[in-house]
Amino acid sequence: MAQGLDFELARSVLIVDDDDSIRGALKQLLQASDLPVIGEATDGVEAGYMAYRHQPAIVILDYQMRKLNGAETSYVVRFLAPRSRIIAFSALLEARPVWADAFLSKGSIGKIVPLIES
């Protein structure tokens, strides 16, 4: 049983986006591919708390949010959950920013599962 739990934690995902419909779409895509969504945050402050509490393997992080933007939030997440990998998920950015491990445009939302699995 412990091995199954470890496997789930190794694939766990935290979704951070201030748009309810984007979070919902991401959650549906991930759960349909058996990727466990351990939490959803609407801003960088919530993301920091959830990252610390759940220690997700992957954090899908929007760039433009209230309170803290994606870049600012990434520093908090890296401090509180240093093993988490960050995917910058944005309609504004055109390439992987230095604060992220990977990048995906919101226009390519359907590619999120293959990106996580690679």
Side-chain angles (χ1 to χ4, degrees):
M1 181 92 175
Q3 282 183 323
L5 184 59
D6 291 343
F7 180 70
E8 289 298 306
L9 288 174
R11 304 174 71 230
S12 62
V13 180
L14 171 63
I15 300 169
V16 185
D17 198 302
D18 58 352
D19 186 321
D20 293 339
S21 61
I22 294 291
R23 281 195 325 276
L26 283 168
K27 186 173 182 177
Q28 284 182 337
L29 283 168
L30 297 170
Q31 289 178 333
S33 296
D34 294 324
L35 289 165
V37 175
I38 54 93
E40 298 176 45
T42 60
D43 60 48
V45 175
E46 286 181 355
Y49 170 76
M50 295 182 107
Y52 176 71
R53 183 167 185 217
H54 299 291
Q55 297 295 309
I58 304 288
V59 177
I60 300 173
L61 182 56
D62 184 21
Y63 176 67
Q64 186 175 17
M65 297 181 295
R66 57 189 181 274
K67 294 188 182 174
L68 297 174
N69 67 27
E72 295 161 335
T73 301
S74 72
Y75 296 113
V76 172
V77 168
R78 291 209 189 276
F79 180 75
L80 297 173
R83 290 182 286 187
S84 296
R85 296 294 164 245
I86 297 174
I87 298 174
F89 187 63
S90 176
L92 298 176
L93 301 174
E94 295 180 10
R96 183 181 68 83
V98 296
W99 50 266
D101 299 298
F103 166 75
L104 187 65
S105 167
K106 285 190 177 182
S108 301
I109 192 170
K111 297 178 182 178
I112 193 71
V113 172
L115 178 61
I116 290 172
E117 291 179 342
S118 67

